[in-house]
Amino acid sequence: MNDQQPVQLRVALAQVDTRVGDLSGNAELVTRWAAKAAAAGAHLVVFPEMTLTGYPPEDLVLRESFARASEHALVDLAATLEEQGLGELAVVVGYLAHTEGAGPAPVDSIPADDDHDRPGDANPRHGAPRNAAALLHGGEVVVRYYKRHLPNYGVFDEARYFVPGTELPIVRLHGVDVALTICEDLWVEGGPCGVAGQAGVDLVVSPNASPYERAKDDLRLPLVRRRAAEAQAPVLYCNQVGGQDELVFDGDSLAVGADGELLARAPQFVEHLLTVDLGFDPSSVPDRREGRIGPMTVTRHVLSEAPVPAFEAVPGLVVEPLSDCEEVWRALVLGLRDFIDKNGMPSVVLGLSGGIDSALVAALAVDALGADRVYGVGLPSKYSSEHSLSDAEDSAKRLGLHYSVVPIAPIVDAFSGSVDLAGVAAENLQARVRGTLLMGLSNQHGHLLLATSNKSEVAVGYSTLYGDAAGGFAPIKDVPKTLVWELARWRNAEARRRGEIEPIPQNSIDKPPSAELAPGQQDSDSLPSYEELDAVVADYVDRDLGMAELLERGHDPEVVARVLRLVDTAEFKRRQSAPGTKISLKAFGRDRRLPITNRWRESLPSVREGAAL
Amino acid sequence: MNDQQPVQLRVALAQVDTRVGDLSGNAELVTRWAAKAAAAGAHLVVFPEMTLTGYPPEDLVLRESFARASEHALVDLAATLEEQGLGELAVVVGYLAHTEGAGPAPVDSIPADDDHDRPGDANPRHGAPRNAAALLHGGEVVVRYYKRHLPNYGVFDEARYFVPGTELPIVRLHGVDVALTICEDLWVEGGPCGVAGQAGVDLVVSPNASPYERAKDDLRLPLVRRRAAEAQAPVLYCNQVGGQDELVFDGDSLAVGADGELLARAPQFVEHLLTVDLGFDPSSVPDRREGRIGPMTVTRHVLSEAPVPAFEAVPGLVVEPLSDCEEVWRALVLGLRDFIDKNGMPSVVLGLSGGIDSALVAALAVDALGADRVYGVGLPSKYSSEHSLSDAEDSAKRLGLHYSVVPIAPIVDAFSGSVDLAGVAAENLQARVRGTLLMGLSNQHGHLLLATSNKSEVAVGYSTLYGDAAGGFAPIKDVPKTLVWELARWRNAEARRRGEIEPIPQNSIDKPPSAELAPGQQDSDSLPSYEELDAVVADYVDRDLGMAELLERGHDPEVVARVLRLVDTAEFKRRQSAPGTKISLKAFGRDRRLPITNRWRESLPSVREGAAL
C-alpha cells in the first residue's frame, strides 16, 4: 500500500424490501441491486440483515430444511453473481446459517460454562442456527460473520433462535480492511466495533433490520457515530425497508466517517441505492492485529491488495428525516401495502361509518393500493345519524374508491326475532352483523377486510370482538385517537399543498366520536377524553409505569383507575385482534405479552407496618 | 454433628395452584399450606417456582411496580409466617426479585464480556429482574437464590425477562446442608446441581413450573435422578399445578434419593402436600466448600446445627402416573376449569352440532365446571341433517346441561336478502351467524363462549374465522381429531367402569365428520383422512420436519403437499384464534411463532449443478 496517497473505495448500501421466506426471490433482488451497484461504479455493496430469508423469519429458523436451503441459496447466489459478470463486486449479504453445533444433543449435555442458555426441552433447535452475513466475491463465499449480540426484548426473540458468534472476520478489499458486524452489534459498547477498533480496520459494514418506531431515526445517527469513534473507522449502516406483519422497516441507511461526519443518508420508506465515496489513509491505522481480542477472535482475509484506480469522489446524498406526521403516514402506508401485496391479496374492503377512523383507514388504503383496489361499504343501522351515511359517501367520493351501501336493520331484526338481546349485547350484535357482512364480501370477492380500530380503542377494549375488530389487518391499531385526528389534518393539509382534493371529510374530523350502537351514544359517555386517555395509555402501556409513577406524572387519579381497569381486562380481546403496523415504543401484539389470566391490578403500594426491604 | 447417627428431616412439597398476578392471594396460599406442612410435622416445605407471582407472569415482569410489590410480598410473607406460629418451619418460596443491576443505563454501556444480551432499545427493563427463590425462617428472608439457567424456547421467554444468577446459597438447617435451585437449572448437566455436588451438600430443593405435555412425566424422573447423582444428594422437585392461559401444570412432584431411588411422587392435576422423611449421613459428604466453584459462587449460611429429634420415618407416597388418555383428559379439564374460574366467569356456552367435537367439549366442560354452569345451544340450519339435532339433544341430556335451540335459517335468509353470497362465502356465513348468536348469548348472560375447534382443523384452517372459531377459550385446540375420538371412547368407557351414563352419544363418535354447511357435505370432501392428516401435522408442526424428511417417513407425497399448503396459508386465522390448553410437543399459540407473511413453501431441495456447501 502507498502510505502517501489515500486509498479509495466506492461503496453502496442497497436499502431493499425483501420478503420473508422467499429465498429465490430475495436472491434475485440481490443480483438486480448488485448490478445497479456495479453500474454505479461501486466496489462493495452492503445489503440488509438476513437478506436472503427476509427478517424476521421467526420460527422458520427452527425448520432445518429452511436453514439448509438458506445456506444453499447463499452459495448459489455467489455463483450467480459471478455468472452475471458481478464477481468483481464485493457483496455483503445477510442469511440464515446452519452450522454444526451442540446439535440436538441430550438435554443435559450442555457445558456449564455456556452462558447462552439452550433449549432443555425434548425438541431443541437443529445444529446451531446463526444470524449471519457473508461477503461474496469472485463466485465464492469469502467469509461468514455470525451476529454476536442477539436482541431478545420488545418484538425481538433472537435468543430463541440463534447461537451468538465469537469471530470477527476482517477482509482486505483493494487494500482496505473491512470488518463485518450485524445490527444489534452496533448497540453494544465494547462489542464487535470496539474489537474492530482494537484490531485495526479501515471500514465497518453493518447490515440491519431495525423496525420503524416514532423518533427512532433520532437514535440511529448518534449511535452509529459512537461506534465509528470506537472502531476508528467509517461505519456503513444499511437497513431494510418494507412491511412484515406488525413491523415496518424505514430504511434510513447511513454512512458515517471515522470522525463522525454524516457522509450519506438514504430516504425513508423507499428502496434506495445509497452510494458513498470513501478515502482511507491506511497509515492512520497504527496496528493490524488478529487472534483473540477481548471476547472475540479476529481473523484476517486478503482478497485484493491493489487499491482501485483513483477516481473523482462525489459527495453522498444526505436526505433530511421526514416530519413526524409524514413519517408515521408513510410507515402506515408501507406497512399496509406490503401486508396486502406480499400476501397476494388483490384488494381490500372496509366499513365506512362516516367517522374519522374509517375515513383515515380508507385514505391510507387508497394511498397504499390505489382507489381501484379499495372497496368501502356503508352499513347504516337504525341508530346511524344522517351525517354518518353522508360523511361515508363524501369520504368514498373524495377518494374515488368503490362504494356500496348495505343497511343492517333487516338482519338485526332477524336476530332479534330469534334471541332476546339488550344493552351491550344488542350493541355488539349490530357491530357483528357488520363484521359478518364485510367478511361475507371478503370471502365472496377475495378482498382482505381492514379493521379500523385505533390504539386507544384497542387499549381499553372499546370495540366488539368479531364486529368492528374483525379483519385481516388493522392499519391504525398502534395509532392513538389523538394522533388519528392529527394525521387526518396533516393529510388534508398535504393535499391542499399539492393542489389535490382533501381525502378526509372535514366533518369526520370535527364531529364528536360515536360508535352509534345506541340512540345518541357518544364515546365520551363511556370513556374519558381522548387527550386524557391517550396520555395515560402512553405512560401505562408504552412505558410500563405503575400507579405511583402515573400519579406523580399528574394524571387524574379517577381517570387512571378507570383506564387501567379497562386496559387490564381487555387482554382477551387483544389476543384475538388482527395485526397492525407498529409505530410506537410498544405496540399491542408481539411487543407486549401479558397474560389474559392476570389478577395484578395497579394500586398504591401499601407498606406493611414494620416491614422493610 | 454426630457422625454415627443419621440426621433426619421431614420435608414437604406443596404442589399448589397459584394465580398469576395475585401476590396477596398467593401469599395466603403459602401461609395455608405451610400450616398444613407444619401440622404434618415437616421441617422444610418447598413451593413451586415464582409462587408469589404465579407462573408465567410474562410482561408483568417488566413492570417495576410489580417487581417491587413482589419483593414487599416476600418480606411480608416471612413476617406473617412468624406471626402465625410457623417461624420454625423453613419455607422455600418462589418470587420475582427486583435487584439492583445495570439498570436502565444508556444502551451502549453494557460490558462487552457479558454474554447475556441485554435490551439495546430505548425501553430497557428496570434494574435486574430475577426469577428467584427464597428460604424464609423465623420471620426473616434467610437467603435468596436467583435462577441461573433461563429457558428461552417453546413457550418460554425467560431471556426476555431475567438476569441469570451466579450465586448458589447453601443453608444449614438442623445440621442438613440444603442447596436452592430453580426449574431449568435441573435440565443442565454441570449446572447448579453439579456445583452443589462439588461444593458438598446434603439436599437439593428445586421449585418448578414445568408445563404439562404428553409423556413429559416420562422425562422428569430420569432427569431428577441424573441431577441427584450429580449433586450426590436427594433432590426435591416441586412442580406447580393448575391452568394458566395456554398452559396447564400437572404437578407430578417428586423426591429422589441420592442413589436415584424414587422416594415419593405426587398425584397429577390436583393440589397435594407430599411429605418425605429423609435420613442423612453427614459424614458421607467428604468436603464442604464455598467460594468460586466453576461458573458460580457458593455461599454457606447456618440456620441451625442441632439435628431434629429422631422420629420414625414413614415411607413416602408414590403415585403411579396416569394412562395417556386419562392424563390428557385431566389436563384439558383442569386447563379449562382454571381459565374459567381464574377469570371469574360464572358459566360457559357452546354450540352443540351433534358432532364429536362439540360433544367432547361439552363433556369436558361438565367435568370441569358441573352441568349447571354449562349452556349448550343447538343451531340447526337448512343443511343440518336430522341426526344433528337429535345427537345434540342426546348429548345435552346425557350431560344434564342447559339446552336450547335457535334455528339459524331466518337469519341466514335475512343476510341473503342483503348480499349475494355463494360457495365458501355462503358456508362461512352460516358459521358466522352461529358465532354471532352465541356471542350475543355470551354478552347477554355473562357466559364465556367455548370454541370447539380441534388441532387438525386449526392446523389446516378448516374452520370459519368469527364463526365456529369464535370464543374466549378453545379447550381442544391442541387435540388432533384422531385423539378427539380416542378421548371420547375413553371417557365413555370410564363412565361405564364407574356405572355412570356415557356422556358422549355413540352416534356422535361413529358418524362421519361433517361441517354441514352445504348439502351432503363431509370433511372427507376437502381433507385427507384424519389418520393421514394428523400424522403429517405431527411431523410438520410438532416436529418441524421438512419435505425430504416427511417423505422419508413414508407419508403420501400428495397428502403432504396438500396438508402443508393448507397449514402454511392458515396462519392468519390461527393468529386470531382463542387460546387453548397445550398438551402436545408444540401447540399453536406462543409455542409456534410463524410469520403470516411468509413465502417459504417446503419442497424437495433442488441441487444446483456444481454447487456444493
Side-chain angles (χ1 to χ4, degrees), chain A residues 235-277:
Chain A
V235 174
L236 304 181
Y237 172 97
C238 182
N239 191 19
Q240 77 178 39
V241 72
Q244 170 60 29
D245 290 352
E246 296 180 341
L247 303 181
V248 65
F249 298 85
D250 59 330
D252 189 33
S253 298
L254 300 167
V256 165
D259 58 358
E261 189 190 351
L262 177 61
L263 304 174
R265 185 168 204 160
Q268 289 173 276
F269 303 110
V270 288
E271 292 192 306
H272 187 84
L273 187 79
L274 186 71
T275 56
V276 191
D277 290 345

Coordinates of all heavy atoms in Angstrom, one line a residue, chain A residues 235-277:
Chain A
V235 N -18.4 3.8 9.4 CA -19.4 2.7 9.5 C -20.5 2.9 8.5 O -21.1 4.0 8.3 CB -20.0 2.7 11.0 CG1 -21.1 1.7 11.1 CG2 -18.9 2.5 12.0
L236 N -20.8 1.8 7.8 CA -21.9 1.8 6.8 C -23.1 1.0 7.4 O -23.0 -0.2 7.6 CB -21.4 1.1 5.5 CG -20.2 1.6 4.8 CD1 -19.9 0.8 3.6 CD2 -20.4 3.1 4.5
Y237 N -24.2 1.7 7.7 CA -25.3 1.2 8.3 C -26.4 1.0 7.2 O -27.0 2.0 6.8 CB -25.8 2.2 9.4 CG -27.1 1.9 10.1 CD1 -27.2 1.2 11.3 CD2 -28.3 2.3 9.5 CE1 -28.4 1.0 11.9 CE2 -29.5 2.1 10.1 CZ -29.5 1.4 11.3 OH -30.7 1.2 11.9
C238 N -26.7 -0.2 6.8 CA -27.7 -0.5 5.8 C -28.9 -1.1 6.4 O -28.8 -2.3 6.9 CB -27.1 -1.3 4.7 SG -28.4 -1.6 3.4
N239 N -30.0 -0.5 6.4 CA -31.3 -1.0 7.0 C -32.2 -1.4 5.9 O -32.3 -0.9 4.8 CB -31.9 0.1 7.9 CG -33.1 -0.5 8.7 OD1 -33.1 -1.7 8.9 ND2 -33.9 0.4 9.2
Q240 N -33.0 -2.4 6.2 CA -34.0 -2.9 5.2 C -35.2 -1.9 5.2 O -35.4 -1.1 6.1 CB -34.5 -4.3 5.5 CG -35.4 -4.5 6.6 CD -35.8 -6.0 6.7 OE1 -35.0 -6.9 6.5 NE2 -37.1 -6.2 7.0
V241 N -36.0 -2.0 4.2 CA -37.2 -1.2 4.1 C -38.4 -2.1 3.8 O -38.2 -3.2 3.2 CB -37.0 -0.1 3.0 CG1 -37.0 -0.7 1.6 CG2 -38.0 1.0 3.1
G242 N -39.6 -1.8 4.2 CA -40.7 -2.6 3.9 C -41.5 -3.1 5.1 O -41.0 -3.0 6.2
G243 N -42.7 -3.6 4.8 CA -43.5 -4.1 5.9 C -43.4 -5.6 6.0 O -43.3 -6.3 5.1
Q244 N -43.5 -6.1 7.3 CA -43.6 -7.5 7.6 C -44.5 -7.8 8.8 O -44.1 -7.5 9.9 CB -42.2 -8.1 7.8 CG -42.1 -9.5 8.3 CD -42.7 -10.5 7.4 OE1 -42.7 -10.3 6.2 NE2 -43.3 -11.6 7.9
D245 N -45.7 -8.2 8.5 CA -46.7 -8.3 9.6 C -46.8 -7.1 10.4 O -47.2 -6.0 9.9 CB -46.4 -9.6 10.4 CG -46.7 -10.9 9.6 OD1 -47.2 -10.8 8.5 OD2 -46.3 -12.0 10.1
E246 N -46.5 -7.1 11.7 CA -46.6 -6.0 12.6 C -45.5 -4.9 12.4 O -45.6 -3.9 13.0 CB -46.6 -6.4 14.0 CG -47.7 -7.4 14.4 CD -47.6 -7.8 15.9 OE1 -46.6 -7.7 16.5 OE2 -48.7 -8.3 16.4
L247 N -44.5 -5.3 11.7 CA -43.3 -4.4 11.6 C -43.2 -3.7 10.3 O -43.6 -4.2 9.3 CB -42.0 -5.2 11.9 CG -42.0 -5.9 13.2 CD1 -40.6 -6.7 13.3 CD2 -42.2 -5.0 14.4
V248 N -42.8 -2.4 10.3 CA -42.4 -1.8 9.1 C -41.0 -1.3 9.3 O -40.6 -0.8 10.4 CB -43.4 -0.7 8.7 CG1 -43.4 0.5 9.7 CG2 -43.1 -0.2 7.3
F249 N -40.2 -1.4 8.3 CA -38.8 -1.0 8.3 C -38.6 0.2 7.5 O -39.2 0.3 6.3 CB -37.8 -2.1 7.9 CG -37.9 -3.4 8.7 CD1 -38.9 -4.3 8.5 CD2 -37.1 -3.5 9.8 CE1 -39.0 -5.4 9.3 CE2 -37.2 -4.6 10.6 CZ -38.1 -5.6 10.4
D250 N -38.0 1.2 8.0 CA -38.0 2.5 7.3 C -36.8 2.8 6.5 O -36.7 3.9 5.9 CB -38.2 3.7 8.3 CG -37.2 3.7 9.4 OD1 -36.6 2.7 9.7 OD2 -36.9 4.8 9.9
G251 N -35.8 1.9 6.5 CA -34.6 2.2 5.8 C -33.8 3.2 6.6 O -33.3 2.8 7.6
D252 N -33.6 4.4 6.1 CA -32.8 5.4 6.9 C -31.4 5.0 7.0 O -30.7 5.2 8.0 CB -33.5 5.6 8.3 CG -32.9 6.8 9.1 OD1 -32.5 7.8 8.4 OD2 -32.8 6.7 10.3
S253 N -30.9 4.3 5.9 CA -29.5 3.8 5.9 C -28.5 5.0 6.0 O -28.8 6.1 5.4 CB -29.2 3.0 4.6 OG -30.1 1.9 4.6
L254 N -27.4 4.8 6.6 CA -26.5 5.9 6.9 C -25.0 5.5 6.6 O -24.7 4.3 6.8 CB -26.4 6.1 8.4 CG -27.7 6.6 9.2 CD1 -27.4 6.5 10.7 CD2 -28.0 8.0 8.8
A255 N -24.2 6.4 6.2 CA -22.8 6.3 6.2 C -22.2 7.4 7.1 O -22.5 8.5 6.9 CB -22.2 6.3 4.8
V256 N -21.3 7.0 8.0 CA -20.7 7.9 8.9 C -19.2 7.8 8.8 O -18.7 6.6 8.8 CB -21.2 7.7 10.3 CG1 -20.3 8.4 11.4 CG2 -22.7 8.2 10.4
G257 N -18.5 8.9 8.8 CA -17.0 8.8 8.7 C -16.4 8.5 10.1 O -17.1 8.5 11.1
A258 N -15.1 8.2 10.1 CA -14.4 7.8 11.3 C -14.5 9.0 12.3 O -14.5 8.8 13.5 CB -12.9 7.5 11.0
D259 N -14.6 10.2 11.8 CA -14.7 11.4 12.7 C -16.1 11.7 13.0 O -16.4 12.7 13.7 CB -14.1 12.6 11.9 CG -14.7 12.8 10.6 OD1 -15.7 12.1 10.2 OD2 -14.4 13.8 9.9
G260 N -17.1 10.9 12.6 CA -18.5 11.1 13.0 C -19.3 11.9 12.0 O -20.5 12.1 12.1
E261 N -18.6 12.3 10.9 CA -19.3 13.1 9.9 C -20.4 12.2 9.2 O -20.1 11.1 8.8 CB -18.3 13.6 8.8 CG -18.9 14.6 7.9 CD -18.0 15.0 6.7 OE1 -16.9 14.6 6.7 OE2 -18.5 15.6 5.8
L262 N -21.5 12.8 9.0 CA -22.6 12.1 8.3 C -22.3 12.2 6.8 O -22.4 13.3 6.2 CB -24.0 12.7 8.6 CG -25.2 12.1 7.8 CD1 -25.3 10.6 8.1 CD2 -26.4 12.9 8.2
L263 N -21.9 11.1 6.1 CA -21.5 11.2 4.8 C -22.6 11.0 3.8 O -22.6 11.5 2.7 CB -20.4 10.1 4.5 CG -19.2 10.1 5.4 CD1 -18.3 8.9 5.2 CD2 -18.4 11.4 5.2
A264 N -23.6 10.2 4.2 CA -24.8 10.0 3.4 C -25.9 9.4 4.2 O -25.7 8.7 5.2 CB -24.4 9.0 2.2
R265 N -27.1 9.7 3.8 CA -28.3 9.2 4.5 C -29.4 9.0 3.4 O -29.8 9.9 2.7 CB -28.8 10.2 5.5 CG -29.9 9.7 6.4 CD -30.1 10.6 7.6 NE -30.8 9.9 8.6 CZ -30.8 10.3 9.9 NH1 -30.2 11.3 10.3 NH2 -31.5 9.5 10.8
A266 N -30.0 7.8 3.4 CA -31.0 7.4 2.4 C -32.4 7.9 2.8 O -32.6 8.1 4.0 CB -31.0 5.9 2.2
P267 N -33.2 8.0 1.9 CA -34.6 8.4 2.2 C -35.3 7.2 2.9 O -35.0 6.1 2.8 CB -35.3 8.6 0.8 CG -34.4 7.9 -0.1 CD -33.0 7.9 0.4
Q268 N -36.3 7.6 3.7 CA -37.1 6.6 4.5 C -38.2 6.0 3.6 O -38.8 6.7 2.7 CB -37.7 7.2 5.7 CG -36.7 7.6 6.8 CD -37.4 8.3 7.9 OE1 -37.6 9.5 7.9 NE2 -37.8 7.6 9.0
F269 N -38.5 4.7 3.9 CA -39.7 4.1 3.3 C -39.7 3.8 1.8 O -40.8 3.5 1.2 CB -41.0 4.9 3.7 CG -41.2 5.0 5.2 CD1 -41.0 6.3 5.8 CD2 -41.4 4.0 6.0 CE1 -41.1 6.4 7.2 CE2 -41.5 4.1 7.4 CZ -41.3 5.4 8.0
V270 N -38.6 3.9 1.2 CA -38.5 3.5 -0.2 C -37.2 2.7 -0.4 O -36.2 2.9 0.4 CB -38.4 4.8 -1.2 CG1 -39.8 5.4 -1.3 CG2 -37.3 5.7 -0.8
E271 N -37.2 1.9 -1.4 CA -35.9 1.2 -1.7 C -35.0 2.2 -2.3 O -35.4 3.2 -3.0 CB -36.2 0.1 -2.8 CG -37.0 -1.1 -2.2 CD -37.0 -2.3 -3.1 OE1 -37.4 -2.1 -4.3 OE2 -36.7 -3.4 -2.7
H272 N -33.7 2.1 -2.0 CA -32.8 3.1 -2.5 C -31.3 2.5 -2.5 O -31.0 1.7 -1.6 CB -32.8 4.3 -1.5 CG -32.0 5.5 -2.0 ND1 -32.4 6.4 -2.9 CD2 -30.7 5.8 -1.8 CE1 -31.5 7.3 -3.2 NE2 -30.4 6.9 -2.5
L273 N -30.6 2.9 -3.5 CA -29.2 2.5 -3.6 C -28.4 3.8 -3.2 O -28.4 4.8 -3.9 CB -28.7 2.1 -5.0 CG -27.3 1.5 -5.0 CD1 -27.3 0.1 -4.5 CD2 -26.8 1.6 -6.4
L274 N -27.8 3.7 -2.0 CA -27.0 4.9 -1.5 C -25.5 4.6 -1.8 O -25.0 3.7 -1.2 CB -27.3 5.0 0.0 CG -26.7 6.2 0.7 CD1 -27.5 7.5 0.3 CD2 -26.8 6.0 2.3
T275 N -24.9 5.5 -2.6 CA -23.5 5.3 -2.9 C -22.7 6.3 -2.1 O -23.1 7.4 -1.9 CB -23.2 5.4 -4.4 OG1 -23.7 6.6 -4.9 CG2 -23.8 4.3 -5.2
V276 N -21.5 5.9 -1.7 CA -20.7 6.8 -0.9 C -19.2 6.5 -1.3 O -18.8 5.4 -1.4 CB -20.8 6.4 0.6 CG1 -20.1 7.5 1.5 CG2 -22.2 6.2 1.1
D277 N -18.5 7.6 -1.6 CA -17.1 7.5 -2.0 C -16.3 7.8 -0.7 O -16.4 8.8 -0.1 CB -16.8 8.6 -3.1 CG -17.5 8.2 -4.4 OD1 -17.9 7.0 -4.5 OD2 -17.6 9.1 -5.3

